[in-house]
Amino acid sequence: MRVLDTNALPLVASSLFEGLLVDALSKQKRVSFALSGGSTPWPVLDRLARADLDWERVDIYQVDERVVPLGHADRNFTQLAQAFLSRVPAVAHAMPVDDTDVECAARRYADRLPSHLDLIHLGLGSDGHTASLVPGDAVLDVTDSDVAMTGEYSGHRRMTLTRRAINKATTIVWLVSGESKREVLAQLLDGDSDIPAGMISTSKSIVVTDLRCEPDHLRGGVQ
């Protein structure tokens, strides 16, 4: 786990992502990188877009997306396109949430995913959710697909990578910022499956945060 001053988080996190991408690109022809929404990643992605990488060999996938029209302000891809994809020539794979049959669209998106994602960025909600794996939703029990639809959460249904897809990733980087996340961050670090985030494998995880937790929470293989 890397505990930082809030102002240092974008620089350190973007350097971490860059290093992981450079390493992966040195070993394989194409690299898959899945990105979450939320407010924390945008300063990080702003810096990452300046990295001198072979972006044409990077496939960008979405971790989750709200079921809203293309271009809607609530759609993660809207800001992702403006803040990042418009600046790098990576290949973008947007979640097709504007399709009429979103259940079918989720299956098609799962078919587009590689056998495993090389790098996944995750955030952490104050209720313990990550991606759109939210407390009490049936999506938490989906084990036979890599992409699924949720019920309504904060006003919208969502398409999300399932915990099966996330746990197959080579590396998971968590960006966690804000005092409201302190308790659930401790639960995440403890691998507490009472929260959705705690169902994600800690052995593949690197946590970058501006919060400090007590030493007894620093276990479970999280870096």
Side-chain angles (χ1 to χ4, degrees):
M1 186 172 76
R2 307 181 188 191
V3 182
L4 312 165
D5 178 86
T6 301
N7 294 330
L9 192 147
L11 175 60
V12 173
S14 62
S15 296
L16 172 62
F17 281 131
E18 180 179 355
L20 291 167
L21 290 168
V22 167
D23 182 63
L25 286 166
S26 72
K27 299 173 181 176
Q28 56 202 65
K29 291 182 178 180
R30 300 201 65 79
V31 172
S32 52
F33 183 16
L35 290 165
S36 299
S39 59
T40 305
W42 306 122
V44 177
L45 294 178
D46 176 66
R47 288 182 175 274
L48 184 59
R50 307 172 203 173
D52 185 18
L53 294 176
D54 190 355
W55 286 109
E56 292 182 353
R57 294 167 54 205
V58 178
D59 289 288
I60 303 293
Y61 294 91
Q62 289 189 269
V63 170
D64 62 334
E65 185 60 277
R66 298 175 182 87
V67 179
V68 292
L70 185 64
H72 194 287
D74 287 341
R75 192 158 171 170
N76 290 334
F77 193 80
T78 301
Q79 191 160 0
L80 179 62
Q82 294 173 350
F84 186 64
L85 295 172
S86 62
R87 300 168 57 192
V88 299
V91 179
H93 303 270
M95 282 184 160
V97 294
D98 46 346
D99 282 22
T100 303
D101 186 343
V102 289
E103 301 287 350
C104 182
R107 291 191 293 271
R108 289 202 313 274
Y109 198 74
D111 289 341
R112 291 169 60 186
L113 294 176
S115 60
H116 69 276
L117 291 156
D118 297 303
L119 178 59
I120 296 181
H121 151 245
L122 292 179
L124 180 64
S126 57
D127 61 355
H129 85 267
T130 190
S132 282
L133 305 176
V134 300
D137 196 289
V139 74
L140 296 175
D141 298 321
V142 175
T143 59
D144 60 352
S145 179
D146 286 342
V147 183
M149 296 303 303
T150 72
E152 187 171 309
Y153 176 72
S154 296
H156 301 291
R157 292 192 73 196
R158 291 132 188 266
M159 185 179 293
T160 185
L161 297 184
T162 62
R163 56 193 178 97
R164 184 181 87 166
I166 296 171
N167 282 327
K168 288 192 296 183
T170 302
T171 305
I172 300 165
V173 175
W174 299 79
L175 301 183
V176 184
S177 180
E179 186 62 33
S180 66
K181 315 287 181 64
R182 183 178 298 279
E183 182 176 344
V184 289
L185 175 59
Q187 290 178 273
L188 167 65
L189 296 173
D190 279 344
D192 183 352
S193 61
D194 285 344
I195 61 170
M199 298 178 178
I200 303 304
S201 172
T202 57
S203 64
K204 303 176 179 181
S205 294
I206 303 170
V207 176
V208 181
T209 183
D210 57 4
L211 298 168
R212 294 187 181 276
C213 292
E214 295 301 318
D216 61 346
H217 295 307
L218 303 182
R219 57 178 183 263
V222 176
Q223 297 185 44

